Amino acid sequence: MTDENKGTTPETRGRDSGPPLADDAPASLANVNAETGAPVTKEEPVFTEDGEVEEAVGNTEVGKCCSEALVALGRAARSFLLYEADNKAITKFLEDLRAKIHMYLSRYGDMVLTVRPWEMALGREVVYVNRDRERSLAFRLFRDGVRKVTLGKSMAWEELSKFLGIISIRYKGIRQQEDDVVTLLWKAGFKNITIVAVEGFIPEDEDYIDQQDRGMLVRGIFHDGSRAFDQPAPELAERGPLSHVAVDPARLSELTAETTNLALPNQAVSLLREVLQTASDPAEPLTLEEARTTIDEIRDFLLSEGLLTHLLSVLKLLKELHFRTEDEELQETLIGAFSDAKALSRIIRSVPPGLRELPTDLIDLVSAIPGDRVQLLIDILGQERSRHARWAVRSLLAHFAADSLDYLVELVGLLDGPAPGDLLLVVADLNMAKAFEVAMTIDVDAEHELLSTAMGIIERNAYSREVALKLSQFLESQHADIRSRSLKVLVSKRERWVFMAIIQRLERHHTSGIEPHEIEELATAMVQIWQTRALDQFQRWIKPKGLFRRVIQGQVNLKWAAVHGLAMIPDKSAAKYIQMVIKDSSGQLASYAEECLTRQRSLTGGAGNG
Amino acid sequence: MADDIDRAQQQLAQDIADATSGEDKQLSLKVRELGEQLARLLSGLLRMARMHALTNAAFDAPVSQFRGILRELWEMLGTVNLVCVEDQVYVNDVRIRFEMSAEHVESLADDLARHGVGGISFNQVLEEVDVRKLVELFHELPPEDAPPRPTLQKKLAEAGMVSMELHGLFRFKVQDEVARSLDRDYALLYTMAVAVVGEAFTNISADRLPNPIPVRRMINELIDAAKLCSTADLATDHDRTFTPLARHTMMVVDLSLLLGKAAGLSDEVLADLGIAAAFHDVGSAMTDGGYPVPYERHATAGLRALMRQRGFHQAKTRRLLAVAEHHNPFESERGRPSLFARIIHIVDDYDLMTRNRPNEGPVMAPTDALARMIKVSGTVYDPVLLQVFVNQMGMFPPGSLLALASGRTVVSVSGARSPETFAKPLCHVLRREDGTPARKGTYVDLAEEDRIFKLLRPRPERATGIDNPKTATSWMPDR
């Protein structure tokens, strides 16, 4: 590197760094000593993963402040070992790091650190010590060749987080094939972070370029001149005019656009196309087996990005090309890997939520899957939990399972979980009449999703006595929404036999086991179905006669239902009975009864005050 | 501020995920594990030699193990470099963590250091008898009246171990030292790069796993050094003692970086481009069934070789594409080649037409090469990139031989310094007006004085009515 900063010219590397941390006070600052401005020693020690305390060190206020910042840096870097990257714990560590670094830089300026195997020093003062190989920030940096670190006063958060990323990668023990710490630091192009690192080792006596000795020992075409050959020059017969022509910057921008991450998927596909075409060329020695790792890696990349169009183009190519006989089995395996349950699940999960229609590429991709597509989709449906992913699978099944209706119907009765409900929806898409038949066979104790789907189908179909019977079963469902929907339908049809069923339900749950809104719903239904009988029943609940008097008198839910229902009946006696409840009750029931009385009076214009 | 933290956290997650996908964990662990065993065994053997005769049966097992591990490492990596630096031990750039005490590390380093040795390169696998001999020779006291390392190297050679290379003592190279060395000479850096790239070629051609990191480090240094250099520095063949492939490869690297930079690519992208350029003809070093790969298939041979590197990485993807496509025309039914391939195609063909071939000289003058390339701009070559390249190189690129109106014979030593001086390079005077050799270090700036009379060509050139200097006689320049 030509200069210590490694940033060289800003326009060549580096990034838009944002405002300096020192100027950008974060919302959460460590408590500050009012006199010295140094952070107050924490009330709680900072624990490492095993409960071991990692304390800040330092003899001076500057040293302690620096130490706090370094402990925070080490902790943040280690956090990726313990937590998933999106965990809130990591967010807290990052916030803490930012705050501590800001504290130091804003007060004391540049942080210039010497890195030793187990410690770091600020000038002569040791500001970080940790002798644990796995946890020590100093050891990690030293091991990777870093000998000095300067965090400049103007350092922005973006630079610090980039630096943190490089350290975190090494904390995770990742050793990349393309980069090491030195090249990562070079790439980062830091403007306000200076690293002095060892870049390898050189002989002490500097006469290390000895080509002759090397040539003797390292045979190879690069050094072995005996392998005399030279490449042929291209044959370009005609000449054109040479002149300086200014190049439009927009055209250059188009070129640099090809170097961004956005261009990578297309490039990956191009590479795969090149590889597959080479492997299919009988004149070439490259086999599909040799290409397999590359194919798998690119496939996994495309899957992780959910790039349907790209996956599809690769899959088509894999299917269309003819490989050697000995590669054919592998060809099938590779095709399968693009579209097995795991791959397809990933693709389906990447379908954006809120779509109304499936992307045609997804349909085409599934079309390209060999074997039993329907079963594959059903398997995925059994595992998927996200709503939009299940919508996608249902849509695919509706597309592909038209000939498998009976099979789907059979599975509705066999599977557990939410899948049967989804399958019933698919059946409804394909053949509503069949779906209705199935819905009518669903037991009241079935899973909620299936019940709900069945309910929806029944609601959409013509009413009949059989439907009424089914809904009467659903009135006994353990799910409140199913009961409610069933009741609505029955009430709309004025089925008087339901009246007794409602009374029975209320009387079964006379003191508990039913929510107020359901009580009110049932009371409303009674009035809608049979007002005169309802009036009578409500009165009996409020003022029971005869043998049941004592039994019914304390039953709050019944009175609640009664006052609610009476509020809907424009009859003088209704108000009178509501007033009885007000008089004889207290608490919530009394309050509710007062509300009901108000409503009832508004029906009658204020008359009927009993 | 919460947004900043969120963004940072997401970016960190992405960076770690990208790094993970680019990792070949199996390889890393294996190298560290085997490297540690190798170093420990060597240390142990040398310590045992102090106590027992080498014929003792106690040596049998560790000698055999050492040989086995060396073989395993060699098959994976090629040349195995064991280096002791200060208090650390490295095997092929991987720092070995010794589970033993530091005392063992010091012991190994001391045993080597008393012979002036800081590292050993095993270019081939050793037989068991060779391992014993190695231990024996290291155990002997170094001579008092002769330099120890060359003496030991000679003894090893006499014992038949010519494939082992002993290196002097090492120390860590710190960054600011590199700056000082580069200030001296780009040519020096070029020479270092040949060694590094050459070693990579050797390993790849021996079917070992490609390791781009040493080449990447070298390319990074070239990029930084190039900022202090002129076009001519980059477009010059610095050392004609290297083989044609080495010279061609380095020229393609240099010119690719020049063109890439002029096209506005960032340093990070230039680094990837440089590595792709370094490996663009690696297929030429491969063999097929024991025979050299035919030139027509060197691109796919290179692709095949480089695919052995595991781990998904955008640099690797672009590099493989560049190697596979670098001869594909711009307009093709196979689709447009990738950016790196288009860049390398231009500079590759330019060098093939203009380089000084052993016993032949160049095929044509640089001006003619560019003129021919411009004719097929848009069909064979990317028109934007080609124009950028022409704008950089000028009408008379470095190395162009010119006869001036004054009678002087000169060679161009600059690219286009500005649009106005596109056809008026700075030149080194070779011959005076009277034909006698000029004094060394005499220059003429054609922007200031004199004018070009004729372009001197290495071979007859058919003029096609374009406004270029007319046909010259066939002439081999005496440089």
Side-chain angles (χ1 to χ4, degrees):
Chain A
M1 306 301 154
T2 55
D3 70 328
E4 208 178 316
N5 276 328
K6 278 193 178 294
T8 56
T9 54
E11 63 269 21
T12 57
R13 275 205 312 290
R15 53 197 70 234
D16 179 16
S17 304
L21 266 175
D23 298 343
D24 187 22
S28 62
L29 288 177
N31 288 331
V32 174
N33 183 306
E35 288 178 11
T36 65
V40 170
T41 306
K42 294 180 299 303
E43 290 161 4
E44 296 172 5
V46 176
F47 287 94
T48 60
E49 306 81 76
D50 293 346
E52 183 188 322
V53 171
E54 184 176 52
E55 288 183 347
V57 296
N59 302 320
T60 64
E61 292 303 330
V62 177
K64 284 177 192 163
C65 187
C66 179
S67 187
E68 297 261 352
L70 293 176
V71 165
L73 179 61
R75 199 162 58 234
R78 283 196 304 273
S79 64
F80 288 93
L81 273 175
L82 295 177
Y83 303 101
E84 290 295 322
D86 57 355
N87 194 297
K88 289 290 175 217
I90 293 184
T91 312
K92 285 197 163 32
F93 290 134
L94 293 177
E95 286 167 352
D96 187 50
L97 169 65
R98 185 183 170 127
K100 301 264 169 66
I101 293 283
H102 161 79
M103 176 65 64
Y104 182 92
L105 295 179
S106 61
R107 293 203 170 272
Y108 306 111
D110 293 356
M111 185 191 291
V112 183
L113 300 164
T114 304
V115 180
R116 299 172 192 150
W118 309 110
E119 61 189 34
M120 287 192 272
L122 186 75
R124 292 180 165 222
E125 185 180 357
V126 172
V127 288
Y128 181 93
V129 178
N130 190 324
R131 294 183 178 280
D132 185 319
R133 277 173 185 267
E134 297 301 324
R135 297 192 180 94
S136 172
L137 176 63
F139 178 74
R140 291 275 159 171
L141 290 171
F142 186 86
R143 177 197 64 177
D144 283 331
V146 177
R147 296 291 179 265
K148 194 170 161 187
V149 175
T150 301
L151 305 182
K153 182 181 156 74
S154 300
M155 178 182 69
W157 167 241
E158 285 75 12
E159 283 190 288
L160 178 62
S161 64
K162 185 69 186 171
F163 181 54
L164 174 64
I166 293 172
I167 302 173
S168 301
I169 285 169
R170 296 301 292 131
Y171 257 108
K172 280 190 78 103
I174 297 169
R175 193 181 166 86
Q176 298 181 81
Q177 293 304 103
E178 280 292 331
D179 281 293
D180 58 10
V181 166
V182 172
T183 61
L184 286 172
L185 290 171
W186 183 91
K187 244 187 219 179
F190 293 127
K191 294 179 196 168
N192 298 293
I193 300 178
T194 308
I195 313 282
V196 176
V198 300
E199 290 194 343
F201 24 84
I202 53 173
E204 285 189 347
D205 58 8
E206 287 207 32
D207 65 352
Y208 54 106
I209 301 298
D210 189 336
Q211 286 300 317
Q212 198 156 358
D213 279 351
R214 217 174 170 83
M216 177 184 82
L217 295 167
V218 179
R219 292 279 171 214
I221 192 172
F222 218 70
H223 297 286
D224 184 356
S226 66
R227 228 174 126 178
F229 91 109
D230 212 334
Q231 297 100 327
E235 291 178 6
L236 301 172
E238 296 182 27
R239 303 164 54 88
L242 277 183
S243 60
H244 184 280
V245 177
V247 177
D248 182 359
R251 303 297 300 278
L252 291 178
S253 296
E254 288 169 13
L255 294 178
T256 52
E258 292 185 49
T259 65
T260 64
N261 286 342
L262 291 174
L264 185 56
N266 283 344
Q267 290 161 357
V269 170
S270 294
L271 174 60
L272 208 47
R273 186 174 296 122
E274 196 68 46
V275 168
L276 290 174
Q277 283 170 344
T278 303
S280 68
D281 182 349
E284 291 282 353
L286 177 69
T287 65
L288 205 54
E289 182 63 49
E290 285 176 308
R292 185 177 192 166
T293 304
T294 303
I295 297 169
D296 286 344
E297 285 168 2
I298 292 179
R299 180 206 63 224
D300 286 346
F301 165 68
L302 296 175
L303 280 173
S304 69
E305 301 289 316
L307 295 166
L308 288 179
T309 310
H310 297 77
L311 279 163
L312 192 61
S313 70
V314 173
L315 189 56
K316 271 187 186 161
L317 200 58
L318 255 177
K319 293 183 77 162
E320 284 164 3
L321 289 172
H322 297 288
F323 297 94
R324 297 176 182 80
T325 310
E326 57 266 31
D327 282 340
E328 281 171 2
E329 197 180 319
L330 179 57
Q331 181 182 10
E332 288 302 317
T333 305
L334 289 169
I335 290 170
F338 270 81
S339 47
D340 60 13
K342 194 171 153 193
L344 198 51
S345 284
R346 288 167 81 176
I347 294 170
I348 284 169
R349 265 181 239 131
S350 71
V351 171
L355 286 184
R356 291 185 168 272
E357 275 185 29
L358 274 184
T360 45
D361 285 341
L362 180 54
I363 296 175
D364 291 343
L365 183 78
V366 177
S367 297
I369 296 174
D372 191 345
R373 288 185 282 263
V374 171
Q375 189 56 54
L376 182 61
L377 289 167
I378 290 170
D379 290 342
I380 292 172
L381 193 61
Q383 292 153 19
E384 272 306 323
R385 290 290 170 260
S386 102
R387 283 182 62 178
H388 77 271
R390 282 164 54 200
W391 167 83
V393 178
R394 285 201 305 268
S395 304
L396 285 168
L397 275 169
H399 187 88
F400 288 102
D403 296 335
S404 309
L405 196 61
D406 290 340
Y407 180 53
L408 294 183
V409 166
E410 195 185 327
L411 287 179
V412 169
L414 291 175
L415 296 179
D416 295 325
D422 289 304
L423 289 175
L424 187 53
L425 279 172
V426 176
V427 172
D429 273 346
L430 292 172
N431 186 324
M432 180 54 88
K434 190 74 183 174
F436 177 68
E437 260 182 53
V438 175
M440 290 295 284
T441 64
I442 300 300
D443 190 80
V444 69
D445 293 324
E447 296 267 354
H448 178 258
E449 295 245 2
L450 181 56
L451 271 173
S452 181
T453 304
M455 191 69 226
I457 291 167
I458 290 170
E459 282 165 345
R460 274 183 271 167
N461 275 270
Y463 189 75
S464 66
R465 188 171 142 63
E466 287 73 26
V467 168
L469 278 171
K470 193 71 200 172
L471 292 177
S472 71
Q473 291 171 12
F474 283 1
L475 281 178
E476 298 302 318
S477 168
Q478 58 177 309
H479 304 289
D481 62 313
I482 300 297
R483 295 195 297 270
S484 174
R485 287 165 74 180
S486 305
L487 185 66
K488 275 202 179 84
V489 174
L490 290 168
V491 165
S492 72
K493 300 301 177 189
R494 297 285 188 268
E495 291 280 5
R496 287 200 164 179
W497 60 264
V498 176
F499 194 86
M500 287 315 298
I502 293 173
I503 290 174
Q504 282 165 8
R505 180 159 175 82
L506 281 167
E507 287 183 349
R508 257 204 317 275
H509 299 288
H510 49 82
T511 51
S512 66
I514 189 169
E515 296 292 326
H517 71 84
E518 191 174 354
I519 297 172
E520 291 155 22
E521 207 172 50
L522 289 167
T524 302
M526 286 171 69
V527 173
Q528 286 170 340
I529 291 171
W530 205 338
Q531 185 174 296
T532 49
R533 286 276 313 258
L535 175 63
D536 191 50
Q537 184 63 52
F538 294 148
Q539 287 169 351
R540 253 190 256 130
W541 279 340
I542 289 170
K543 195 173 179 188
K545 296 182 174 72
L547 290 173
F548 298 106
R549 189 177 54 192
R550 279 202 185 161
V551 172
I552 294 175
Q553 234 162 5
Q555 293 167 353
V556 171
N557 287 350
L558 295 179
K559 288 184 181 169
W560 193 288
V563 298
H564 178 87
L566 286 169
M568 297 168 67
I569 301 173
D571 188 278
K572 276 189 224 174
S573 62
K576 184 174 113 183
Y577 276 86
I578 294 175
Q579 282 168 337
M580 280 185 205
V581 172
I582 292 170
K583 187 175 161 221
D584 293 339
S585 310
S586 61
Q588 278 185 311
L589 178 58
S591 298
Y592 188 61
E594 299 232 10
E595 280 176 42
C596 291
L597 183 62
T598 306
R599 282 206 300 272
Q600 199 278 339
R601 281 179 175 161
S602 69
L603 281 180
T604 58
N609 59 3
Chain B
M1 188 196 78
D3 287 343
D4 285 351
I5 298 283
D6 277 343
R7 264 199 304 275
Q9 190 168 350
Q10 283 170 26
Q11 186 60 54
L12 284 162
Q14 185 62 53
D15 288 347
I16 289 175
D18 288 347
T20 305
S21 71
E23 185 188 26
D24 186 347
K25 204 175 178 86
Q26 208 178 4
L27 176 67
S28 314
L29 287 174
K30 194 91 180 154
V31 170
R32 179 166 279 128
E33 183 191 306
L34 290 175
E36 186 180 327
Q37 287 174 38
L38 188 82
R40 196 193 296 132
L41 279 166
L42 183 59
S43 172
L45 284 166
L46 292 171
R47 284 156 71 93
M48 276 171 64
R50 292 187 211 129
M51 296 179 279
H52 304 291
L54 278 153
T55 49
N56 191 308
F59 281 90
D60 293 353
V63 163
S64 175
Q65 280 170 25
F66 182 91
R67 182 189 176 273
I69 287 168
L70 180 62
R71 167 170 282 282
E72 211 175 328
L73 277 170
W74 182 84
E75 281 173 356
M76 208 187 316
L77 304 171
T79 297
V80 177
N81 300 306
L82 175 74
V83 171
C84 294
V85 192
E86 296 176 16
D87 59 349
Q88 320 239 352
V89 177
Y90 287 79
V91 170
N92 285 47
D93 286 341
V94 177
R95 197 188 66 86
I96 299 305
R97 181 202 293 199
F98 264 95
E99 295 304 334
M100 318 181 295
S101 66
E103 186 192 321
H104 285 82
V105 177
E106 285 167 15
S107 167
L108 175 61
D110 287 344
D111 282 332
L112 300 183
R114 67 200 189 118
H115 293 276
V117 172
I120 307 172
S121 288
F122 299 94
N123 293 297
Q124 299 287 342
V125 179
L126 299 179
E127 297 304 324
E128 288 188 20
V129 62
D130 295 330
V131 176
R132 283 177 197 267
K133 191 68 184 173
L134 172 71
V135 173
E136 178 193 329
L137 289 174
F138 267 99
H139 175 61
E140 283 176 5
L141 286 172
E144 288 179 1
D145 54 354
R149 179 165 53 88
T151 306
L152 181 54
Q153 182 80 73
K154 192 173 166 203
K155 286 184 181 178
L156 285 168
E158 284 165 358
M161 283 184 279
V162 295
S163 66
M164 270 184 57
E165 193 178 351
L166 301 179
H167 304 285
L169 298 174
F170 286 93
R171 61 181 175 81
F172 282 115
K173 179 173 73 172
V174 184
Q175 283 158 349
D176 52 4
E177 286 187 56
V178 176
R180 286 200 295 275
S181 70
L182 287 177
D183 281 344
R184 289 204 297 273
D185 198 343
Y186 186 86
L188 173 64
L189 196 58
Y190 174 99
T191 306
M192 290 164 63
V194 168
V196 171
V197 177
E199 182 149 358
F201 267 54
T202 303
N203 284 330
I204 293 171
S205 67
D207 289 339
R208 295 183 198 113
L209 295 179
N211 177 12
I213 291 181
V215 177
R216 181 177 287 282
R217 287 193 193 165
M218 201 69 239
I219 297 293
N220 290 352
E221 294 191 21
L222 285 173
I223 290 169
D224 284 338
K227 292 177 175 120
L228 305 174
C229 295
S230 64
T231 300
D233 289 328
L234 294 171
T236 301
D237 190 357
H238 288 280
D239 190 332
R240 295 181 188 180
T241 64
F242 292 131
T243 63
L245 181 59
R247 290 163 61 198
H248 170 66
T249 298
M250 291 315 303
M251 184 58 72
V252 169
V253 169
D254 284 350
L255 292 179
S256 294
L257 295 180
L258 184 150
L259 174 49
K261 183 148 179 72
L265 302 187
S266 67
D267 279 3
E268 189 175 336
V269 173
L270 281 180
D272 293 345
L273 172 61
I275 302 174
F279 286 128
H280 82 282
D281 272 345
V282 72
S284 301
M286 306 303 294
T287 55
D288 182 5
Y291 295 95
V293 164
Y295 178 73
E296 295 74 23
R297 293 221 299 276
H298 78 278
T300 48
L303 173 66
R304 187 180 175 211
L306 294 178
M307 274 201 308
R308 287 197 290 264
Q309 178 190 339
R310 295 192 286 257
F312 182 81
H313 196 287
Q314 79 176 19
K316 185 181 104 172
T317 301
R318 289 170 182 162
R319 179 164 62 248
L320 294 185
L321 263 179
V323 169
E325 295 179 326
H326 72 277
H327 285 296
N328 291 8
F330 179 68
E331 290 292 335
S332 162
E333 54 191 32
R334 288 180 72 157
R336 185 161 298 170
S338 61
L339 175 66
F340 286 7
R342 302 199 309 272
I343 290 173
I344 293 171
H345 190 191
I346 288 170
V347 303
D348 188 24
D349 280 1
Y350 174 78
D351 185 64
L352 290 175
M353 287 188 278
T354 60
R355 56 197 305 263
N356 215 352
R357 292 164 183 264
N359 305 318
E360 288 181 56
V363 172
M364 64 184 71
T367 304
D368 295 331
L370 287 181
R372 280 168 161 67
M373 292 171 80
I374 274 287
K375 182 68 180 175
V376 290
S377 173
T379 52
V380 176
Y381 304 110
D382 183 314
V384 176
L385 288 169
L386 183 58
Q387 188 59 57
V388 170
F389 187 60
V390 166
N391 288 353
Q392 288 291 301
M393 299 300 265
M395 173 78 84
F396 303 105
S400 299
L401 277 173
L402 306 165
L404 301 185
S406 62
R408 289 182 283 185
T409 304
V410 302
V411 61
S412 165
V413 293
S414 80
R417 293 166 290 168
S418 67
E420 293 74 28
T421 57
F422 177 76
K424 298 175 182 176
L426 176 69
C427 298
H428 181 221
V429 181
L430 298 175
R431 293 187 195 269
R432 295 189 180 118
E433 291 82 347
D434 59 6
T436 57
R439 196 171 59 238
K440 204 173 174 183
T442 307
Y443 291 88
V444 57
D445 186 345
L446 295 180
E448 304 289 332
E449 59 170 300
D450 217 332
R451 61 179 179 83
I452 297 168
F453 172 65
K454 187 160 70 174
L455 172 68
L456 298 174
R457 295 183 164 86
R459 294 156 209 251
E461 175 81 4
R462 279 185 297 111
T464 57
I466 313 297
D467 57 342
N468 279 305
K470 294 208 168 38
T471 308
T473 54
S474 177
W475 178 74
M476 294 294 288
D478 179 19
R479 292 185 193 176

